[in-house]
Amino acid sequence: MDPIFGKNVFSLKGDRWREMRNTLSPSFTTNKMKFIFDLVSKCSQEFVNYLYDHPEFSSMIEVKDAFTRYTNDVIATVAFGIDVNSLKHRDNEFYTHGKDATNFSGVFRLLKFLLFRISPRMTRMVGIKFLSNSTSEFFWRVINETVKTRDERGIVRQDMIHLLMQARDDEKHQITIEDIVAQAFIFFLAGFDTSSTAMCHAIYLLALNQDVQARLRDEVDRYLEEENGKISYDSLSKMKYMDMVISETLRLYPPSLLTDRTCVKKLELPPARDGYDGMTINPGENVWIPIFAIHRDPKYFPDPEKFDPERFSDENKNNIIPYTYIPFGSGPRQCIGNRFALMEVKLLIVHLLQKFVIKPNEKTSIPLVFKKSSFTLIPKDGFWVSFEKREY
């Protein structure tokens, strides 16, 4: 009923999932990240320059809306080869349809999503589609036109659509235009909302922890000075404190609150504690794994509510028990785009710290109170901070 939602790598299972995952994996290798690094960095610089040139906008800013526009521009450029400036052109089609696709507020949309995951057979019988007709038609049109234009003109651009087109031309893969649209869509959907939310939490925590922000800025300035004010993929990869800050942000505020896995082999779980019964999980049963709860369990992370990047220092990170830190999931089905998402987040923070000091203001919620109608950790009153231009 809804091939865009049903045929993407997130929804597929079994051999078809394995084949599609293997087809997409080359999009996210280190060499591919290096190739697209300049595209992402350009988007990041243009975004931060706009904030710098418009203090009336950035002096008190709700960053969720702003950062979602940044991730929208990055994905449109990297995956679709289309330049979009969502701060200048605020109602562009990519942004408006991205907002529609990632809107889970409201009981009906929430129930519809759960129904798709729990009983796809029922949704097929009833004829329910996940996406609105206008959003579905938009992605079909844009990706169809992109593929057609590249075929006709022999355009080669080293991105996800190119890899899918190569797989389509190899008969053993049996890739159709529906498959190409579905994979390009899920890449857009995953990067549009979760990456921008991770950026918001990182900026919020830096605003509230000026000592951490100062130390991170020192590291950023040091690498920028070595490369005459610019940043490279290699220098970004060497920023140890940046890694620590982002890792601790993702521990406190994981992009997804939970993940799920389907059992393929019978498993006897032992009792959780004395006096409790064990449990049998049978093949075909679905297991929900509460990432947020595990990340904040004092058994694994002492003083779990505290923002402490030192948990991920070279001296301490090896003490973390395997599978207790899983912001991108784990195993064969862990998030395929995690390397891309981290690069996107880190680049934005580098360029922001290069030009601004991030501070809380009277609209900043302390502590955050989250919406109950969202799958991600979005505060009821938004992420409000102030960007003050640095004094050199």
Side-chain angles (χ1 to χ4, degrees):
M1 289 300 300
D2 202 341
I4 291 182
F5 193 74
K7 289 194 172 187
N8 65 63
V9 71
F10 174 76
S11 301
L12 292 172
K13 296 180 180 179
D15 291 339
R16 187 57 176 163
W17 163 79
R18 190 172 292 105
E19 181 183 6
M20 190 59 68
R21 176 89 181 196
N22 291 338
T23 300
L24 294 175
S25 292
S27 293
F28 301 99
T29 61
T30 298
N31 285 337
K32 197 67 72 180
M33 290 301 102
K34 287 183 177 181
F35 182 84
I36 64 174
F37 177 85
D38 289 338
L39 291 173
V40 180
S41 186
K42 181 174 179 285
C43 285
S44 178
Q45 283 182 301
E46 288 178 352
F47 176 83
V48 172
N49 287 340
Y50 183 92
L51 296 181
Y52 194 82
D53 294 337
H54 294 80
E56 74 282 357
F57 176 60
S58 58
S59 59
M60 186 176 288
I61 182 172
E62 202 288 300
V63 290
K64 175 56 178 167
D65 175 76
F67 290 170
T68 302
R69 294 178 184 279
Y70 163 66
T71 56
N72 179 70
D73 293 356
V74 169
I75 298 168
T77 297
V78 170
F80 300 92
I82 297 172
D83 287 328
V84 181
N85 190 321
S86 299
L87 284 178
K88 289 182 180 178
H89 310 293
R90 301 187 69 81
D91 296 320
N92 67 81
E93 283 189 297
F94 264 99
Y95 181 75
T96 55
H97 288 297
K99 289 285 286 184
D100 176 60
T102 56
N103 176 21
F104 292 101
S105 61
V107 174
F108 178 71
R109 197 70 181 267
L110 198 63
L111 288 175
K112 190 160 70 168
F113 179 81
L114 291 174
L115 200 58
F116 263 91
R117 298 297 291 162
I118 294 169
S119 183
R121 184 176 300 170
M122 185 183 295
T123 60
R124 187 165 60 246
M125 289 171 60
V126 178
I128 297 174
K129 292 185 178 182
F130 181 72
L131 298 174
S132 67
N133 287 335
S134 62
T135 295
S136 181
E137 288 168 5
F138 169 74
F139 281 103
W140 268 106
R141 174 170 55 81
V142 168
I143 298 165
N144 259 310
E145 288 176 357
T146 300
V147 171
K148 185 179 178 182
T149 300
R150 293 187 186 189
D151 277 335
E152 291 175 349
R153 299 182 184 178
I155 296 171
V156 175
R157 199 171 186 273
Q158 298 298 324
D159 55 17
M160 178 185 286
I161 289 182
H162 176 67
L163 280 169
L164 289 164
M165 288 173 65
Q166 284 183 311
R168 175 204 61 183
D169 296 336
D170 186 338
E171 291 183 2
K172 70 180 180 181
H173 287 298
Q174 297 181 327
I175 301 289
T176 67
I177 188 63
E178 280 190 349
D179 295 309
I180 294 175
V181 173
Q183 308 323 315
F185 167 75
I186 198 64
F187 180 56
F188 179 88
L189 185 69
F192 184 87
D193 188 65
T194 52
S195 296
S196 62
T197 303
M199 294 170 197
C200 291
H201 287 297
I203 293 302
Y204 174 83
L205 289 167
L206 290 174
L208 266 55
N209 296 271
Q210 291 292 314
D211 55 334
V212 174
Q213 184 182 158
R215 181 176 167 186
L216 181 56
R217 182 179 290 104
D218 287 344
E219 181 179 67
V220 167
D221 287 348
R222 187 169 70 252
Y223 281 100
L224 286 169
E225 187 176 349
E226 288 178 4
E227 303 199 20
N228 299 316
K230 294 185 178 181
I231 201 74
S232 67
Y233 182 87
D234 290 334
S235 60
L236 188 70
S237 303
K238 293 175 184 174
M239 292 185 181
K240 287 190 175 182
Y241 196 61
M242 175 73 81
D243 273 338
M244 291 162 60
V245 169
I246 300 302
S247 295
E248 177 67 347
T249 299
L250 295 176
R251 182 194 67 81
L252 274 172
Y253 304 110
S256 178
L257 299 177
L258 55 87
T259 188
D260 63 340
R261 293 291 185 270
T262 302
C263 179
V264 294
K265 184 178 179 181
K266 186 176 179 179
L267 178 69
E268 300 289 341
L269 285 178
R273 61 182 68 167
D274 292 341
Y276 285 73
D277 293 330
M279 177 178 284
T280 302
I281 304 177
N282 295 302
E285 292 180 344
N286 208 36
V287 179
W288 285 28
I289 301 160
I291 297 173
F292 182 86
I294 294 170
H295 282 191
R296 297 204 180 206
D297 192 325
K299 286 191 299 184
Y300 310 127
F301 298 99
D303 197 4
E305 304 295 322
K306 181 183 179 183
F307 175 62
D308 182 13
E310 292 300 324
R311 298 180 204 271
F312 294 90
S313 67
D314 288 340
E315 297 78 20
N316 296 328
K317 64 184 179 182
N318 291 329
N319 297 326
I320 296 173
I321 298 171
Y323 306 110
T324 61
Y325 177 69
I326 46 173
F328 295 104
S330 190
R333 293 192 73 125
Q334 73 173 347
C335 175
I336 193 173
N338 62 342
R339 188 182 281 123
F340 174 82
L342 290 170
M343 181 179 73
E344 186 182 18
V345 171
K346 290 176 182 179
L347 268 172
L348 181 71
I349 292 175
V350 164
H351 290 128
L352 282 172
L353 293 181
Q354 185 181 15
K355 294 201 170 186
F356 295 105
V357 175
I358 306 156
K359 293 185 177 180
N361 57 48
E362 59 267 28
K363 286 189 173 184
T364 306
S365 298
I366 306 174
L368 294 174
V369 178
F370 297 109
K371 290 181 180 178
K372 293 181 173 63
S373 60
S374 176
F375 275 132
T376 52
L377 294 167
I378 305 296
K380 288 167 61 177
D381 300 318
F383 290 98
W384 288 92
V385 297
S386 293
F387 293 137
E388 293 185 6
K389 291 183 179 181
R390 286 181 63 180
E391 295 180 4
Y392 293 94

